[in-house]
Amino acid sequence: MSTETLTAEPVVQMERFRERLKELSQIGLDAEQGGLYRMAFTEGDMEGRAWLARQMEEIGLTVERDGAANISGRLEGTDPDAPVILVGSHLDTVPCAGTLDGSLGVLAGLECVQAMKEAGIQPKHSIEVVSFSDEEGRFGGMFGSQSVAGQVTPDTLHNARDLNGVKLADVMERQGMDPWLALEARRDPQSLLCYLELHIEQGPVLDTAREQVGLVEDITGLFKWGITLRGEANHAGTTPMEMRQDAFLGMAEFAYQIPRILEENGSERSRATVGKAELFPGSANTVPGEARFSLDVRDTDPEVLKELASQFRRALSAIARRRQLMFEFTVESEIEPVACHRPLINLLEEKARKSSLSYRRMPSGAAHDAQIMATITPTVMLFTPSRGGKSHSPAEWTSWDDIQAASQLLLDTLVVLGEKGLPNS
Ligand SMILES: [Zn+2]
């Protein structure tokens, strides 16, 4: 005779999931543009938060808000001293966003704990569904998860502003929050078992390969430079070609060298982009005396990033010398790449195989809360395919079959983690 309590295998309920996504997709919707506008701490975002808290209460989770306005709903474990499993993502969006970026991970977490509850499973470790504040970086970082990781300082709070110069502290106060409490949102790594995040891929790899799930091995790091090349503005008609100090030609030559530099010094995962450029004085009949442009470089290996930084600096310096230009650059941001927790990836893989899912191990080219959480607790991400690779647009979409597959995989994994804790290998 078995002494085990009989419980049904928990299964995600897709009808309920779909209904929730539909409701959430109405919040912050601009019907004319067809996109969502739930930028951090705007009315749409506040409404989304209130909606989420209600969902959590209805399921019977313990709802809490920390000083950084992160919301969590906890399924209490049988051992109150056991470290907590976090699962979630974010509800805030970029302007004119689609419905899945962030929201899918929060709703999947919600569905998983509800399914566990319904199956009569009470895990040993508490499981907390979390929605982090301002993942999309309206105020320049990932405010919510950075607060939890203890990376937010009084300085950050003083200086954080959005692109229009609006201060984070003011916005939070206007919403009835005390921004300084964010300094107390830090969580003791000892109190956490791990963090899991389901997210759309936001790229074309899974969709193109027709695979259902991506198991993220590494999240890319990046550096962003603001570069200025300075020559001399002069008359477009009277200045002979060989007597020019044309800043645009310097920039163009640099951009042209990017593929070669990546090929020679980067890895398969390296990416480099000049996404923004301005010429001065900016008139059609003047040789441009100044070019200002951005450079965004990414890779999953910190050594490769270092090597690329040094090669790009050398290229700039050589071009400037040859073309008689001055150059300067400022480092606007730097984020270290992080590795996901190998035993957690292996556990996901084992479950994916058992369910006969098609999957691949892959890097994440986009930044996520997981990148911050990985600095304090074992972290793993799983991706669903993004149709056509589209994201940060209303065209964002993943098929419901794929959402179901990834959510059930998350659920199966949570059941094991909740009972047994972290795998060893
Ligand atoms: Zn996201």
Side-chain angles (χ1 to χ4, degrees):
M1 202 178 81
S2 167
T3 52
E4 267 176 54
T5 329
L6 270 184
T7 49
E9 281 293 313
V11 179
V12 290
Q13 302 296 323
M14 291 317 285
E15 207 165 306
R16 178 167 66 199
F17 197 144
R18 238 191 306 238
E19 202 49 45
R20 279 206 182 106
L21 184 69
K22 212 164 94 189
E23 276 181 37
L24 181 56
S25 304
Q26 295 300 311
I27 300 176
L29 174 69
D30 182 320
E32 227 164 84
Q33 314 271 355
L36 295 182
Y37 290 76
R38 290 200 306 263
M39 293 77 77
F41 301 114
T42 57
E43 291 312 313
D45 183 37
M46 298 313 290
E47 209 184 308
R49 291 158 175 276
W51 176 87
L52 176 64
R54 278 199 306 278
Q55 301 295 310
M56 289 171 163
E57 273 156 19
E58 276 169 25
I59 297 174
L61 307 178
T62 314
V63 181
E64 274 168 8
R65 293 171 179 81
D66 68 13
N70 299 312
I71 300 177
S72 67
R74 194 168 58 248
L75 173 66
E76 303 287 353
T78 52
D79 180 357
D81 297 324
V84 174
I85 298 166
L86 298 179
V87 54
S89 195
H90 61 95
L91 289 193
D92 69 299
T93 70
V94 295
C96 203
T99 57
L100 300 177
D101 180 355
S103 301
L104 190 65
V106 176
L107 295 187
L110 215 53
E111 179 52 44
C112 287
V113 293
Q114 187 166 15
M116 282 173 83
K117 258 188 143 236
E118 285 171 349
I121 294 175
Q122 193 186 7
K124 175 175 166 232
H125 298 265
S126 297
I127 302 179
E128 239 179 75
V129 181
V130 58
S131 173
F132 289 112
S133 300
D134 195 16
E135 190 275 346
E136 296 292 1
R138 175 182 170 195
F139 294 98
M142 287 187 241
F143 175 63
S145 47
Q146 282 176 321
S147 299
V148 168
Q151 295 175 9
V152 166
T153 62
D155 243 21
T156 328
L157 285 173
H158 263 300
N159 299 326
R161 289 165 196 273
D162 71 7
L163 289 176
N164 299 317
V166 178
K167 287 183 76 172
L168 167 65
D170 293 345
V171 172
M172 287 183 76
E173 267 165 24
R174 221 171 295 139
Q175 299 291 2
M177 303 168 187
D178 177 356
W180 298 98
L181 290 179
L183 298 172
E184 290 168 29
R186 194 190 84 91
R187 291 178 78 154
D188 178 3
Q190 299 295 327
S191 70
L192 304 176
L193 185 76
C194 58
Y195 173 66
L196 293 90
E197 182 167 353
L198 181 154
H199 203 282
I200 53 171
E201 181 200 335
Q202 301 181 281
V205 175
L206 292 171
D207 187 44
T208 307
R210 302 253 172 259
E211 285 159 338
Q212 293 168 288
V213 184
L215 310 178
V216 177
E217 293 188 303
D218 305 276
I219 306 175
T220 60
L222 62 88
F223 60 82
K224 255 183 223 168
W225 290 353
I227 303 169
T228 304
L229 285 172
R230 220 167 272 126
E232 198 171 76
N234 229 324
H235 197 286
T238 61
T239 319
M241 294 310 282
E242 71 280 5
M243 290 175 71
R244 296 180 177 200
Q245 291 164 265
D246 186 328
F248 169 71
L249 286 182
M251 175 176 82
E253 189 181 341
F254 175 75
Y256 182 72
Q257 289 191 14
I258 287 177
R260 176 190 61 80
I261 291 172
L262 291 199
E263 204 164 296
E264 288 173 8
N265 308 96
S267 76
E268 252 180 7
R269 293 175 169 182
S270 302
R271 308 279 184 272
T273 308
V274 173
K276 200 174 138 192
E278 277 180 298
L279 300 179
F280 299 93
S283 87
N285 52 14
T286 306
V287 176
E290 192 172 310
R292 286 183 217 157
F293 55 101
S294 62
L295 177 68
D296 172 307
V297 182
R298 303 178 188 228
D299 198 274
T300 52
D301 183 338
E303 290 307 312
V304 172
L305 277 177
K306 227 178 278 168
E307 176 62 18
L308 287 174
S310 115
Q311 292 301 329
F312 280 124
R313 210 175 305 128
R314 281 175 62 172
L316 275 173
S317 152
I319 291 166
R321 203 173 332 113
R322 196 161 353 105
R323 295 185 173 273
Q324 293 183 291
L325 305 168
M326 306 275 288
F327 87 94
E328 58 187 40
F329 69 92
T330 50
V331 178
E332 284 167 359
S333 65
E334 255 177 324
I335 302 177
E336 282 277 306
V338 300
C340 287
H341 192 249
R342 288 305 188 260
L344 278 175
I345 302 172
N346 295 341
L347 176 61
L348 279 168
E349 184 168 30
E350 178 200 317
K351 295 281 164 198
R353 222 183 267 149
K354 250 185 212 158
S355 309
S356 309
L357 300 183
S358 58
Y359 68 90
R360 79 162 59 198
R361 290 174 171 238
M362 62 189 294
S364 166
H368 298 287
D369 289 309
Q371 195 153 11
I372 307 294
M373 294 305 290
T375 63
I376 58 164
T377 195
T379 291
V380 76
M381 290 194 82
L382 50 165
F383 278 165
T384 61
S386 294
R387 190 172 292 171
K390 292 212 167 73
S391 182
H392 282 188
S393 113
E396 206 167 77
W397 191 242
T398 299
S399 81
W400 280 105
D401 281 350
D402 290 341
I403 292 176
Q404 180 168 14
S407 303
Q408 186 65 43
L409 175 59
L410 182 65
L411 174 54
D412 295 344
T413 307
L414 282 171
V415 170
V416 175
L417 290 172
E419 198 42 53
K420 299 188 179 157
L422 282 183
N424 295 319
S425 60

